[in-house]
Amino acid sequence: MSIRVLLVDDEELLRLAFGMILRAEPDMEPVGEAADGAEAVELARRLRPDVVLMDVRMPGTDGIEATRLLLREAPETRVLVLTTFDLDAYAFEALGAGASGFLLKNSRPQELLEAIRDVARGDAVVSPRVTRRLLERFAHRLPATGGDAERLRALTAREREVLLGAARGLTNTELAAALGLAEPTVKKHLGRVMAKLGLRDRVQAVILAYECGLVGPG
């Protein structure tokens, strides 16, 4: 089945370029285009795309608010944010709003296609290192939600260790070595963490770890 993609950007030429790239792929189908966040939310509600390719800096309803509203209306949809800089406050806030990752606008076409496929599979398109750097820089923007710490009680000691390692920016391979586990076992633990805490992906798990005070900047 084709991955159904909604293109959201206030620049028509960019939407055109992305659409041409997607149409050349046998497993992708651009199903609509929006020039602003409000239109994106309406189209996502109607079209139910698998992935939304979302610009964040748009007039009117920006990509951050659009992501928040869109995922409330269509929680099964995945959002991949487009940004100019890898350490962008907009990218960080979009992740906090529920986006599954972000991509630089000057990425190569193949990187764009692979990112869309990854997000459609339910993976997060932000490396653990970049996630850590974003949180180090912008964690002060996270709300104080001490009550969320209660959610961590659902985790086993091992699951808590895995979450802590992920929040510190360790890859699955590094986590496996640090904890003396096989890499598939680490992935299973991460999957259980996300299932128990009702999270969409690894990035959301790391953000929650910061919100709960499990780990902090520095």
Side-chain angles (χ1 to χ4, degrees):
M1 294 179 63
S2 294
I3 301 170
R4 303 173 71 254
V5 183
L6 174 62
L7 304 172
V8 184
D9 199 294
D10 60 340
E11 294 187 36
E12 186 177 358
L13 282 177
L14 275 178
R15 298 198 307 272
L16 178 63
F18 289 141
M20 290 175 62
I21 292 170
L22 298 185
R23 288 186 185 92
E25 299 299 305
D27 61 338
M28 294 189 191
E29 177 190 1
V31 295
E33 297 182 13
D36 59 56
E39 186 180 7
V41 173
E42 176 57 32
L43 284 177
R45 182 188 297 119
R46 203 153 38 85
L47 301 174
R48 300 288 172 170
D50 300 305
V51 177
V52 176
L53 199 59
M54 178 80 77
D55 187 18
V56 285
R57 304 190 185 197
M58 296 180 290
T61 303
D62 65 20
I64 297 165
E65 182 61 17
T67 295
R68 189 175 291 112
L69 295 172
L70 185 156
L71 293 177
R72 193 180 303 157
E73 296 284 343
E76 72 283 358
T77 297
R78 301 282 172 165
V79 176
L80 180 60
V81 166
L82 293 172
T83 185
T84 307
F85 305 105
D86 65 350
L87 284 183
D88 188 339
Y90 281 84
F92 171 77
E93 291 178 13
L95 294 177
S100 293
F102 71 87
L103 196 68
L104 297 180
K105 280 194 171 185
N106 62 357
S107 296
R108 300 191 311 272
Q110 195 57 41
E111 291 175 323
L112 170 69
L113 296 171
E114 286 307 311
I116 291 172
R117 292 186 180 104
D118 287 344
V119 166
R121 284 195 298 265
D123 295 333
V125 185
V126 189
S127 75
R129 292 282 187 271
V130 171
T131 302
R132 174 70 180 185
R133 286 163 60 207
L134 276 169
L135 285 163
E136 285 287 345
R137 184 164 178 178
F138 300 114
H140 64 280
R141 297 187 181 207
L142 291 171
T145 54
D148 277 342
E150 293 296 315
R151 297 172 65 183
L152 300 185
R153 293 183 184 276
L155 304 181
T156 65
R158 178 63 83 188
E159 289 164 353
R160 195 179 177 99
E161 285 180 326
V162 169
L163 175 58
L164 178 61
R168 287 174 171 163
L170 299 182
T171 64
N172 287 350
T173 301
E174 291 167 339
L175 268 169
L179 299 176
L181 301 172
E183 193 168 340
T185 304
V186 169
K187 291 180 180 178
K188 285 181 182 178
H189 282 310
L190 276 171
R192 291 193 191 107
V193 167
M194 289 183 281
K196 285 183 177 181
L197 300 179
L199 302 170
R200 296 170 63 85
D201 50 46
R202 183 192 188 107
V203 173
Q204 297 299 301
V206 173
I207 289 175
L208 180 67
Y210 272 77
E211 288 178 337
C212 292
L214 183 62
V215 68

